[in-house]
Amino acid sequence: MNPITEEDIAQFLVHTPDFFERHADLLAAVQLTSPHGGRAVSLQERQAEMLREKIKVLEQRLMEMMRHGNENMLIGDKLQRWSRQLFLVHNAADLPAVMVSELKSQFSVPQAGIKLWGVAESYSDEPFTQDVSDDVKSLASSLTTPYCGVNAGFDVARWLEDPETAASLALIPLRASAAAPAFGLLVLASPDSQRYQAGMATDFLERIAEIGSAALNRLGSP
C-alpha cells in the first residue's frame, strides 16, 4: 500500500467537514509556530494573526485607492481651471501662448512649446506658426497617442526656452478628429528623465490634446 501523504490528509479534511466537530479537542491541542518571534501559538491564535495580516494588506490597498482618488480629483480640478482659461481668451491669436503658460502654471510643467500649421492666412506670421519642418509635421501625424520618453535629440526641443535641460519629453499631437492629420504639436519637457517615460499612461495627455485641439479650431485649423 502507498503511504498516506499530506495531500491525502488535506483531501480527507476537505471532504469531511464534520471531523473537527467530532474531535473538537484536537483544535485546542494543535500548536503552530508564529512568524512573529517563532513562539508556539494555538491554531485559533495563528488564525487571528493571519486575519490581522490580511486586514493590514486590505487597509494598505484602501489607502492607496484613496490616495489615487485624491490625486485624480486634483488633476481634474487643474484640467478644469486650464480649460476655463482657454474659454476666457478673447483674441484667438493669444490661444497658443495662454495654452502653454497655463499648462506650465497649473501642472508644474518646467518647459512647454507649441507650433501650428494650416492655420488661417491672418495667423501665418504669428510666432507659433514659424520654424516647423515637414519632418515635424510627419512626426506629429504619425503619433496616434502622445509620445513620452527621453529627449533623443528631437528637433522640436528647439521650441523650448532651454532645450539643453530637457531630459524627457511628452509630444502631444493636435488634430481635429482621431482620423485627421495633425495640425499642431504640443511639447512638454522636464529636466527629470523620469517625468515623461515610455510606458506611462497617456489618458490625461490625450484629454489635453482633445480640449486643446477643439480650442485651437478658432485659428482656422482643419
Side-chain angles (χ1 to χ4, degrees):
M1 295 179 62
N2 295 326
I4 297 176
T5 65
E6 291 184 355
E7 180 64 24
D8 295 330
I9 297 172
Q11 289 298 320
F12 169 78
L13 293 176
V14 168
H15 293 96
T16 316
D18 59 342
F19 175 81
F20 286 112
E21 292 181 3
R22 298 194 304 272
H23 303 278
D25 54 319
L26 287 177
L27 291 175
V30 172
Q31 294 288 306
L32 303 174
T33 301
S34 171
H36 307 294
R39 62 189 179 86
V41 296
S42 67
L43 176 62
Q44 294 91 335
E45 187 173 351
R46 182 67 186 102
Q47 288 177 319
E49 288 180 350
M50 293 174 63
L51 286 174
R52 283 194 292 269
E53 291 170 358
K54 289 182 179 179
I55 291 172
K56 184 177 180 179
V57 170
L58 291 174
E59 287 177 341
Q60 291 175 340
R61 291 180 180 175
L62 178 59
M63 292 300 293
E64 289 178 1
M65 291 175 61
M66 293 176 63
R67 178 172 60 83
H68 290 315
N70 289 335
E71 290 175 353
N72 289 337
M73 183 177 66
L74 291 174
I75 290 174
D77 289 343
K78 293 177 180 179
L79 184 62
Q80 188 273 336
R81 290 195 293 270
W82 177 72
S83 302
R84 180 178 181 274
Q85 291 303 117
L86 299 184
F87 280 116
L88 293 176
V89 175
H90 296 292
N91 183 7
D94 295 333
L95 266 172
V98 172
M99 186 176 295
V100 166
S101 64
E102 287 298 319
L103 278 172
K104 294 165 64 177
S105 173
Q106 297 292 344
F107 300 99
S108 301
V109 177
Q111 294 192 78
I114 188 173
K115 295 291 182 178
L116 307 175
W117 49 91
V119 297
E121 184 65 27
S122 56
Y123 304 113
S124 61
D125 293 329
E126 294 290 340
F128 55 79
T129 67
Q130 308 302 308
D131 194 25
V132 184
S133 67
D134 290 337
D135 287 342
V136 167
K137 296 177 183 179
S138 297
L139 170 64
S141 290
S142 71
L143 294 174
T144 56
T145 59
Y147 164 85
C148 295
V150 296
N151 178 14
F154 285 102
D155 187 52
V156 297
R158 294 188 296 107
W159 303 349
L160 305 170
E161 300 92 336
D162 188 4
E164 297 301 323
T165 63
S168 64
L169 298 174
L171 308 182
I172 307 172
L174 303 169
R175 45 173 50 95
S177 66
F183 65 78
L185 187 66
L186 178 62
V187 181
L188 310 182
S190 172
D192 180 359
S193 61
Q194 299 300 309
R195 173 74 182 267
Y196 305 109
Q197 53 183 299
M200 68 182 292
T202 60
D203 301 43
F204 167 69
L205 297 179
E206 290 174 27
R207 301 293 85 75
I208 290 287
E210 291 172 358
I211 296 170
S213 297
L216 292 167
N217 272 330
R218 291 174 57 189
L219 296 172
S221 302

CSV table of all heavy atoms in Angstrom, one decimal, residues 1-49:
chain,number,residue,atom,x,y,z
A,1,MET,N,0.8,-1.2,0.0
A,1,MET,CA,0.0,0.0,0.0
A,1,MET,C,0.9,1.3,0.0
A,1,MET,O,1.9,1.3,0.6
A,1,MET,CB,-0.9,0.0,1.2
A,1,MET,CG,-1.9,-1.1,1.3
A,1,MET,SD,-2.9,-1.1,2.8
A,1,MET,CE,-3.7,0.5,2.5
A,2,ASN,N,0.4,2.3,-0.7
A,2,ASN,CA,1.1,3.5,-0.7
A,2,ASN,C,0.9,4.2,0.6
A,2,ASN,O,-0.2,4.2,1.2
A,2,ASN,CB,0.6,4.4,-1.9
A,2,ASN,CG,0.9,3.8,-3.2
A,2,ASN,OD1,1.9,3.2,-3.4
A,2,ASN,ND2,0.0,4.0,-4.2
A,3,PRO,N,2.0,4.9,1.1
A,3,PRO,CA,1.9,5.6,2.4
A,3,PRO,C,0.9,6.8,2.2
A,3,PRO,O,0.8,7.4,1.1
A,3,PRO,CB,3.3,6.1,2.6
A,3,PRO,CG,3.9,6.1,1.3
A,3,PRO,CD,3.3,5.0,0.5
A,4,ILE,N,0.3,7.2,3.3
A,4,ILE,CA,-0.6,8.3,3.3
A,4,ILE,C,0.2,9.6,3.2
A,4,ILE,O,1.2,9.8,4.0
A,4,ILE,CB,-1.5,8.3,4.6
A,4,ILE,CG1,-2.4,7.1,4.6
A,4,ILE,CG2,-2.3,9.6,4.6
A,4,ILE,CD1,-3.2,7.0,5.9
A,5,THR,N,-0.2,10.5,2.3
A,5,THR,CA,0.5,11.7,2.1
A,5,THR,C,-0.2,12.9,2.8
A,5,THR,O,-1.4,12.7,3.2
A,5,THR,CB,0.7,12.0,0.7
A,5,THR,OG1,-0.6,12.3,0.1
A,5,THR,CG2,1.4,10.9,-0.1
A,6,GLU,N,0.5,14.0,2.9
A,6,GLU,CA,-0.2,15.2,3.4
A,6,GLU,C,-1.4,15.6,2.5
A,6,GLU,O,-2.4,16.1,3.0
A,6,GLU,CB,0.8,16.4,3.5
A,6,GLU,CG,1.9,16.2,4.5
A,6,GLU,CD,2.8,17.5,4.6
A,6,GLU,OE1,2.6,18.4,3.8
A,6,GLU,OE2,3.6,17.5,5.5
A,7,GLU,N,-1.3,15.4,1.2
A,7,GLU,CA,-2.4,15.7,0.3
A,7,GLU,C,-3.6,14.8,0.6
A,7,GLU,O,-4.7,15.3,0.6
A,7,GLU,CB,-1.9,15.5,-1.2
A,7,GLU,CG,-3.0,15.8,-2.2
A,7,GLU,CD,-3.4,17.3,-2.2
A,7,GLU,OE1,-2.6,18.1,-1.8
A,7,GLU,OE2,-4.6,17.5,-2.7
A,8,ASP,N,-3.3,13.6,0.9
A,8,ASP,CA,-4.4,12.7,1.3
A,8,ASP,C,-5.1,13.2,2.5
A,8,ASP,O,-6.4,13.2,2.6
A,8,ASP,CB,-3.9,11.2,1.5
A,8,ASP,CG,-3.3,10.6,0.3
A,8,ASP,OD1,-3.8,10.9,-0.8
A,8,ASP,OD2,-2.4,9.8,0.4
A,9,ILE,N,-4.3,13.6,3.5
A,9,ILE,CA,-4.9,14.1,4.8
A,9,ILE,C,-5.7,15.4,4.5
A,9,ILE,O,-6.9,15.6,5.0
A,9,ILE,CB,-3.8,14.4,5.8
A,9,ILE,CG1,-3.1,13.1,6.2
A,9,ILE,CG2,-4.4,15.1,7.1
A,9,ILE,CD1,-1.9,13.3,7.0
A,10,ALA,N,-5.2,16.3,3.7
A,10,ALA,CA,-5.9,17.5,3.3
A,10,ALA,C,-7.2,17.3,2.6
A,10,ALA,O,-8.2,17.9,2.9
A,10,ALA,CB,-5.0,18.4,2.5
A,11,GLN,N,-7.2,16.3,1.7
A,11,GLN,CA,-8.4,16.0,0.9
A,11,GLN,C,-9.4,15.4,1.8
A,11,GLN,O,-10.6,15.6,1.7
A,11,GLN,CB,-8.0,15.0,-0.2
A,11,GLN,CG,-7.3,15.7,-1.4
A,11,GLN,CD,-8.1,16.8,-2.0
A,11,GLN,OE1,-9.3,16.7,-2.2
A,11,GLN,NE2,-7.4,17.9,-2.3
A,12,PHE,N,-8.9,14.5,2.8
A,12,PHE,CA,-9.9,13.9,3.8
A,12,PHE,C,-10.6,15.0,4.6
A,12,PHE,O,-11.8,15.0,4.8
A,12,PHE,CB,-9.1,13.0,4.7
A,12,PHE,CG,-9.9,12.5,5.8
A,12,PHE,CD1,-10.9,11.5,5.7
A,12,PHE,CD2,-9.8,13.1,7.1
A,12,PHE,CE1,-11.7,11.1,6.8
A,12,PHE,CE2,-10.5,12.6,8.2
A,12,PHE,CZ,-11.5,11.6,8.0
A,13,LEU,N,-9.8,16.0,5.1
A,13,LEU,CA,-10.4,17.0,5.9
A,13,LEU,C,-11.3,17.9,5.1
A,13,LEU,O,-12.4,18.3,5.6
A,13,LEU,CB,-9.3,17.9,6.5
A,13,LEU,CG,-8.4,17.2,7.6
A,13,LEU,CD1,-7.3,18.1,8.0
A,13,LEU,CD2,-9.2,16.7,8.8
A,14,VAL,N,-11.0,18.2,3.8
A,14,VAL,CA,-11.9,19.0,3.0
A,14,VAL,C,-13.2,18.3,2.8
A,14,VAL,O,-14.3,18.9,2.8
A,14,VAL,CB,-11.2,19.3,1.6
A,14,VAL,CG1,-12.2,19.8,0.6
A,14,VAL,CG2,-10.0,20.2,1.8
A,15,HIS,N,-13.1,17.0,2.6
A,15,HIS,CA,-14.4,16.2,2.3
A,15,HIS,C,-15.1,15.7,3.5
A,15,HIS,O,-16.1,15.0,3.4
A,15,HIS,CB,-14.0,15.1,1.3
A,15,HIS,CG,-13.6,15.5,-0.1
A,15,HIS,ND1,-12.3,15.6,-0.5
A,15,HIS,CD2,-14.4,15.9,-1.1
A,15,HIS,CE1,-12.2,16.1,-1.7
A,15,HIS,NE2,-13.5,16.3,-2.1
A,16,THR,N,-14.5,16.0,4.7
A,16,THR,CA,-15.1,15.5,5.9
A,16,THR,C,-15.2,16.7,6.9
A,16,THR,O,-14.5,16.8,7.9
A,16,THR,CB,-14.3,14.4,6.6
A,16,THR,OG1,-13.9,13.5,5.6
A,16,THR,CG2,-15.1,13.7,7.7
A,17,PRO,N,-16.0,17.7,6.6
A,17,PRO,CA,-16.1,18.9,7.3
A,17,PRO,C,-16.5,18.8,8.8
A,17,PRO,O,-16.2,19.6,9.6
A,17,PRO,CB,-17.1,19.8,6.6
A,17,PRO,CG,-17.9,18.8,5.8
A,17,PRO,CD,-17.0,17.7,5.5
A,18,ASP,N,-17.2,17.6,9.1
A,18,ASP,CA,-17.6,17.4,10.5
A,18,ASP,C,-16.6,16.7,11.3
A,18,ASP,O,-16.8,16.4,12.5
A,18,ASP,CB,-18.9,16.6,10.5
A,18,ASP,CG,-18.8,15.3,9.8
A,18,ASP,OD1,-17.8,15.1,9.1
A,18,ASP,OD2,-19.6,14.4,10.1
A,19,PHE,N,-15.3,16.5,10.8
A,19,PHE,CA,-14.3,15.8,11.6
A,19,PHE,C,-14.0,16.5,12.8
A,19,PHE,O,-13.9,16.0,13.9
A,19,PHE,CB,-13.0,15.7,10.7
A,19,PHE,CG,-11.9,15.1,11.4
A,19,PHE,CD1,-11.8,13.7,11.6
A,19,PHE,CD2,-10.9,15.9,12.0
A,19,PHE,CE1,-10.7,13.1,12.3
A,19,PHE,CE2,-9.8,15.3,12.6
A,19,PHE,CZ,-9.7,14.0,12.8
A,20,PHE,N,-13.7,17.9,12.7
A,20,PHE,CA,-13.4,18.6,13.9
A,20,PHE,C,-14.5,18.9,14.8
A,20,PHE,O,-14.3,19.2,16.0
A,20,PHE,CB,-12.7,20.0,13.5
A,20,PHE,CG,-11.3,19.8,13.0
A,20,PHE,CD1,-11.1,20.0,11.6
A,20,PHE,CD2,-10.3,19.4,13.8
A,20,PHE,CE1,-9.8,19.9,11.1
A,20,PHE,CE2,-9.0,19.3,13.3
A,20,PHE,CZ,-8.7,19.5,11.9
A,21,GLU,N,-15.7,18.7,14.4
A,21,GLU,CA,-16.9,18.7,15.3
A,21,GLU,C,-16.9,17.5,16.2
A,21,GLU,O,-17.2,17.6,17.4
A,21,GLU,CB,-18.2,18.8,14.5
A,21,GLU,CG,-18.4,20.1,13.7
A,21,GLU,CD,-19.7,20.1,13.0
A,21,GLU,OE1,-20.5,19.1,13.1
A,21,GLU,OE2,-19.9,21.1,12.2
A,22,ARG,N,-16.5,16.4,15.6
A,22,ARG,CA,-16.4,15.2,16.4
A,22,ARG,C,-15.1,15.1,17.3
A,22,ARG,O,-15.1,14.4,18.3
A,22,ARG,CB,-16.4,13.9,15.5
A,22,ARG,CG,-17.7,13.8,14.7
A,22,ARG,CD,-17.9,12.4,14.1
A,22,ARG,NE,-16.7,12.1,13.3
A,22,ARG,CZ,-16.6,12.4,12.0
A,22,ARG,NH1,-17.6,13.1,11.4
A,22,ARG,NH2,-15.5,12.0,11.3
A,23,HIS,N,-14.1,15.9,16.9
A,23,HIS,CA,-12.8,15.9,17.6
A,23,HIS,C,-12.4,17.3,17.9
A,23,HIS,O,-11.3,17.8,17.6
A,23,HIS,CB,-11.7,15.2,16.8
A,23,HIS,CG,-12.1,13.8,16.4
A,23,HIS,ND1,-11.9,12.7,17.2
A,23,HIS,CD2,-12.6,13.3,15.2
A,23,HIS,CE1,-12.3,11.6,16.6
A,23,HIS,NE2,-12.8,11.9,15.4
A,24,ALA,N,-13.3,18.0,18.6
A,24,ALA,CA,-13.1,19.4,18.9
A,24,ALA,C,-11.8,19.6,19.8
A,24,ALA,O,-11.2,20.7,19.7
A,24,ALA,CB,-14.3,20.0,19.6
A,25,ASP,N,-11.5,18.6,20.6
A,25,ASP,CA,-10.4,18.8,21.5
A,25,ASP,C,-9.0,18.9,20.7
A,25,ASP,O,-8.1,19.4,21.3
A,25,ASP,CB,-10.3,17.6,22.5
A,25,ASP,CG,-10.3,16.2,21.7
A,25,ASP,OD1,-11.0,16.1,20.7
A,25,ASP,OD2,-9.5,15.3,22.1
A,26,LEU,N,-9.0,18.4,19.5
A,26,LEU,CA,-7.8,18.5,18.7
A,26,LEU,C,-7.4,19.9,18.4
A,26,LEU,O,-6.3,20.3,18.3
A,26,LEU,CB,-7.9,17.7,17.4
A,26,LEU,CG,-7.9,16.1,17.5
A,26,LEU,CD1,-8.1,15.5,16.2
A,26,LEU,CD2,-6.5,15.7,18.1
A,27,LEU,N,-8.5,20.7,18.1
A,27,LEU,CA,-8.2,22.1,17.8
A,27,LEU,C,-7.5,22.9,18.9
A,27,LEU,O,-6.6,23.7,18.6
A,27,LEU,CB,-9.6,22.8,17.5
A,27,LEU,CG,-10.3,22.4,16.2
A,27,LEU,CD1,-11.6,23.1,16.1
A,27,LEU,CD2,-9.4,22.7,15.0
A,28,ALA,N,-7.9,22.6,20.1
A,28,ALA,CA,-7.3,23.2,21.3
A,28,ALA,C,-5.8,22.7,21.5
A,28,ALA,O,-5.0,23.4,22.0
A,28,ALA,CB,-8.1,23.0,22.5
A,29,ALA,N,-5.6,21.5,21.0
A,29,ALA,CA,-4.3,20.9,21.3
A,29,ALA,C,-3.2,21.3,20.2
A,29,ALA,O,-2.0,21.2,20.4
A,29,ALA,CB,-4.4,19.4,21.4
A,30,VAL,N,-3.7,21.7,19.0
A,30,VAL,CA,-2.8,22.0,17.9
A,30,VAL,C,-1.9,23.2,18.3
A,30,VAL,O,-2.5,24.2,18.7
A,30,VAL,CB,-3.5,22.2,16.6
A,30,VAL,CG1,-2.6,22.7,15.5
A,30,VAL,CG2,-4.2,20.9,16.2
A,31,GLN,N,-0.6,23.1,18.1
A,31,GLN,CA,0.3,24.2,18.4
A,31,GLN,C,1.1,24.5,17.1
A,31,GLN,O,1.6,23.6,16.4
A,31,GLN,CB,1.3,23.9,19.5
A,31,GLN,CG,0.7,23.7,20.8
A,31,GLN,CD,0.2,25.0,21.4
A,31,GLN,OE1,1.0,26.0,21.5
A,31,GLN,NE2,-1.0,25.1,21.8
A,32,LEU,N,1.1,25.8,16.7
A,32,LEU,CA,1.8,26.2,15.5
A,32,LEU,C,2.9,27.2,15.8
A,32,LEU,O,2.8,27.8,16.9
A,32,LEU,CB,0.8,26.8,14.5
A,32,LEU,CG,-0.4,26.0,14.0
A,32,LEU,CD1,-1.3,26.8,13.2
A,32,LEU,CD2,0.1,24.7,13.3
A,33,THR,N,3.8,27.4,14.9
A,33,THR,CA,4.9,28.4,15.1
A,33,THR,C,4.4,29.7,14.6
A,33,THR,O,4.1,29.9,13.4
A,33,THR,CB,6.2,27.9,14.4
A,33,THR,OG1,6.6,26.7,15.0
A,33,THR,CG2,7.3,29.0,14.7
A,34,SER,N,4.5,30.7,15.4
A,34,SER,CA,4.1,32.1,15.0
A,34,SER,C,5.3,32.7,14.2
A,34,SER,O,6.4,32.5,14.5
A,34,SER,CB,3.8,33.0,16.2
A,34,SER,OG,3.7,34.3,15.8
A,35,PRO,N,5.0,33.4,13.0
A,35,PRO,CA,6.0,34.0,12.3
A,35,PRO,C,6.6,35.2,13.0
A,35,PRO,O,7.6,35.8,12.6
A,35,PRO,CB,5.3,34.5,11.0
A,35,PRO,CG,3.9,34.6,11.4
A,35,PRO,CD,3.6,33.5,12.4
A,36,HIS,N,5.9,35.7,14.1
A,36,HIS,CA,6.4,36.8,14.9
A,36,HIS,C,7.1,36.3,16.1
A,36,HIS,O,6.5,36.1,17.2
A,36,HIS,CB,5.2,37.7,15.2
A,36,HIS,CG,4.4,38.1,14.1
A,36,HIS,ND1,4.8,38.9,13.1
A,36,HIS,CD2,3.1,37.8,13.7
A,36,HIS,CE1,3.9,39.1,12.1
A,36,HIS,NE2,2.8,38.4,12.5
A,37,GLY,N,8.4,36.1,16.0
A,37,GLY,CA,9.1,35.7,17.2
A,37,GLY,C,9.3,34.2,17.3
A,37,GLY,O,10.1,33.7,18.1
A,38,GLY,N,8.7,33.4,16.4
A,38,GLY,CA,8.9,31.9,16.4
A,38,GLY,C,8.3,31.2,17.6
A,38,GLY,O,8.6,30.0,17.8
A,39,ARG,N,7.5,31.8,18.4
A,39,ARG,CA,6.9,31.2,19.6
A,39,ARG,C,5.7,30.3,19.2
A,39,ARG,O,5.2,30.4,18.1
A,39,ARG,CB,6.4,32.2,20.6
A,39,ARG,CG,5.3,33.1,20.1
A,39,ARG,CD,5.0,34.2,21.1
A,39,ARG,NE,4.0,35.1,20.6
A,39,ARG,CZ,2.7,34.9,20.7
A,39,ARG,NH1,2.2,33.8,21.4
A,39,ARG,NH2,1.8,35.7,20.2
A,40,ALA,N,5.4,29.3,20.0
A,40,ALA,CA,4.3,28.4,19.7
A,40,ALA,C,3.0,29.0,20.1
A,40,ALA,O,2.9,29.6,21.2
A,40,ALA,CB,4.5,27.1,20.5
A,41,VAL,N,2.0,29.0,19.2
A,41,VAL,CA,0.7,29.5,19.5
A,41,VAL,C,-0.4,28.5,19.1
A,41,VAL,O,-0.1,27.6,18.3
A,41,VAL,CB,0.5,30.8,18.6
A,41,VAL,CG1,1.5,31.9,19.1
A,41,VAL,CG2,0.6,30.6,17.2
A,42,SER,N,-1.6,28.7,19.6
A,42,SER,CA,-2.7,27.8,19.3
A,42,SER,C,-3.1,28.1,17.9
A,42,SER,O,-2.8,29.1,17.2
A,42,SER,CB,-3.8,28.1,20.3
A,42,SER,OG,-4.4,29.3,20.1
A,43,LEU,N,-3.9,27.1,17.3
A,43,LEU,CA,-4.5,27.3,16.0
A,43,LEU,C,-5.3,28.5,15.9
A,43,LEU,O,-5.3,29.3,14.9
A,43,LEU,CB,-5.3,26.0,15.6
A,43,LEU,CG,-6.0,26.0,14.3
A,43,LEU,CD1,-5.0,26.2,13.2
A,43,LEU,CD2,-6.8,24.8,14.1
A,44,GLN,N,-6.1,28.8,16.9
A,44,GLN,CA,-7.0,29.9,16.9
A,44,GLN,C,-6.2,31.2,16.9
A,44,GLN,O,-6.6,32.2,16.2
A,44,GLN,CB,-8.0,29.9,18.1
A,44,GLN,CG,-9.0,28.8,18.1
A,44,GLN,CD,-8.4,27.6,18.8
A,44,GLN,OE1,-7.2,27.4,18.9
A,44,GLN,NE2,-9.3,26.7,19.4
A,45,GLU,N,-5.1,31.3,17.7
A,45,GLU,CA,-4.3,32.5,17.7
A,45,GLU,C,-3.6,32.7,16.3
A,45,GLU,O,-3.5,33.8,15.9
A,45,GLU,CB,-3.3,32.4,18.8
A,45,GLU,CG,-2.5,33.7,19.0
A,45,GLU,CD,-1.6,33.6,20.2
A,45,GLU,OE1,-1.7,32.6,21.0
A,45,GLU,OE2,-0.8,34.5,20.4
A,46,ARG,N,-3.1,31.6,15.7
A,46,ARG,CA,-2.5,31.7,14.4
A,46,ARG,C,-3.5,32.2,13.4
A,46,ARG,O,-3.2,33.0,12.5
A,46,ARG,CB,-1.9,30.3,14.0
A,46,ARG,CG,-1.2,30.4,12.7
A,46,ARG,CD,0.1,31.2,12.8
A,46,ARG,NE,0.7,31.4,11.5
A,46,ARG,CZ,0.6,32.4,10.7
A,46,ARG,NH1,0.0,33.5,11.2
A,46,ARG,NH2,1.3,32.5,9.6
A,47,GLN,N,-4.7,31.7,13.4
A,47,GLN,CA,-5.8,32.2,12.5
A,47,GLN,C,-6.0,33.7,12.7
A,47,GLN,O,-6.2,34.4,11.7
A,47,GLN,CB,-7.0,31.4,12.7
A,47,GLN,CG,-7.0,29.9,12.2
A,47,GLN,CD,-8.2,29.2,12.5
A,47,GLN,OE1,-8.8,29.3,13.5
A,47,GLN,NE2,-8.7,28.4,11.5
A,48,ALA,N,-6.0,34.1,14.0
A,48,ALA,CA,-6.3,35.5,14.3
A,48,ALA,C,-5.1,36.3,13.7
A,48,ALA,O,-5.3,37.4,13.2
A,48,ALA,CB,-6.4,35.7,15.8
A,49,GLU,N,-3.9,35.8,13.8
A,49,GLU,CA,-2.7,36.6,13.2
A,49,GLU,C,-2.9,36.7,11.7
A,49,GLU,O,-2.6,37.7,11.1
A,49,GLU,CB,-1.4,35.8,13.6
A,49,GLU,CG,-1.0,36.0,15.0
A,49,GLU,CD,0.3,35.2,15.3
A,49,GLU,OE1,0.7,34.5,14.4
A,49,GLU,OE2,0.8,35.4,16.4
